Amino acid sequence: MARYTGPIQKKLRSLGLDTYGVYGTRKEKRVNQTFVRRRRTSAYGLQLKEKQKAKFLYGVLERQFKNYYEKAQIKEGAAGDNLMVFLEQRLDNVLYRSGMFLTRKQSRQAVNHGHFLVNGNKVNIPSFQVQQGDKIAWTERSKKTSLYEIAQSNCKSIPSPHWIELDQTNMVTSILTEPMAEDGELTVDTRQIVELYSK
């Protein structure tokens, strides 16, 4: 599966997300820096940056992201809001939101390695769309791993959002309701993304 493997800090700085999540700001010493006049970013540039930001934060590549947008357009309601809901309903994002993992990369890897069951069925596809009423549990084999212990420790200090309930005793995640657009990443301006794809 293709994914971004470049330097995280450099990518975050380029997207204006210097202090996002667990990724702190690293101050680098730069010697003999010359003054560079930056051009004002065009409207297209701003729109493109918002799309790149959303793709990077949710770990989605271009083709899949465009598919989400096309589905968002068809669904009743604002396309931008629908897009954010689709991204939030990804299995790797739900596990990240539950508090068991510090980053979406960690949760994506856990899903890829087949550690989870959705409604009793093994699912190893990070983009799997969860629905209201779904229950996500660890496999019996995975409960014996160090990853399970780390997840147990993480969820004690990281609260779940209102639409997700995590049973910390059995480590079962329940989807109480469909997420709202405002439950997504607030740093992403979906209006800019809609304008970009509307051209």
Side-chain angles (χ1 to χ4, degrees):
M1 182 182 70
R3 63 189 187 281
Y4 178 76
T5 57
I8 299 294
Q9 289 292 331
K10 187 175 182 180
K11 185 70 174 179
L12 288 172
R13 281 197 303 271
S14 69
L15 296 173
L17 299 168
D18 293 359
T19 57
Y20 177 77
V22 297
Y23 303 107
T25 304
R26 292 182 184 173
K27 293 183 179 180
E28 300 174 357
K29 291 184 179 179
R30 299 185 180 182
V31 185
N32 296 329
Q33 258 193 331
T34 55
F35 177 76
V36 179
R37 184 181 296 276
R38 293 182 179 272
R39 290 184 179 180
R40 179 181 293 179
T41 307
S42 65
Y44 173 78
L46 291 172
Q47 294 162 4
L48 183 62
K49 186 175 181 179
E50 289 304 311
K51 184 184 77 167
Q52 291 173 332
K53 191 188 297 182
K55 285 167 53 182
F56 177 73
L57 291 177
Y58 286 95
V60 180
L61 296 181
E62 179 60 37
R63 181 179 294 181
Q64 194 173 32
F65 191 82
K66 189 173 183 180
N67 287 340
Y68 281 133
Y69 178 75
E70 290 175 351
K71 290 178 182 178
Q73 274 192 311
I74 297 170
K75 187 178 178 181
E76 184 179 351
D81 291 349
N82 293 338
L83 173 63
M84 193 56 67
V85 170
F86 280 132
L87 292 172
E88 282 293 308
Q89 287 179 311
R90 286 172 56 95
L91 177 58
D92 57 355
N93 178 74
V94 170
L95 294 172
Y96 163 70
R97 292 292 191 195
S98 72
M100 291 189 287
F101 300 97
L102 299 180
T103 66
R104 288 187 181 90
K105 277 193 171 186
Q106 289 178 348
S107 61
R108 186 178 306 118
Q109 187 177 45
V111 174
N112 280 329
H113 290 178
H115 289 298
F116 294 98
L117 304 171
V118 179
N119 299 328
N121 299 313
K122 191 172 183 179
V123 176
N124 60 1
I125 303 171
S127 61
F128 179 87
Q129 291 280 296
V130 300
Q131 304 296 329
Q132 182 177 346
D134 284 352
K135 292 189 180 298
I136 306 162
W138 290 74
T139 64
E140 288 302 318
R141 184 178 179 182
S142 299
K143 289 180 180 179
K144 301 172 184 177
T145 63
S146 58
L147 183 65
Y148 181 77
E149 294 176 2
I150 293 171
Q152 282 184 309
S153 176
N154 288 340
C155 68
K156 290 177 182 177
S157 57
I158 305 174
S160 301
H162 68 92
W163 57 282
I164 296 174
E165 182 180 63
L166 175 63
D167 177 358
Q168 295 187 12
T169 303
N170 300 307
M171 295 296 281
V172 175
T173 305
S174 303
I175 310 302
L176 302 178
T177 183
E178 186 177 278
M180 305 291 287
E182 51 266 29
D183 295 320
E185 292 292 345
L186 299 179
T187 57
V188 177
D189 185 353
T190 54
R191 292 174 301 175
Q192 299 278 13
I193 299 173
V194 171
E195 288 177 10
L196 177 66
Y197 278 117
S198 299
K199 291 182 177 179

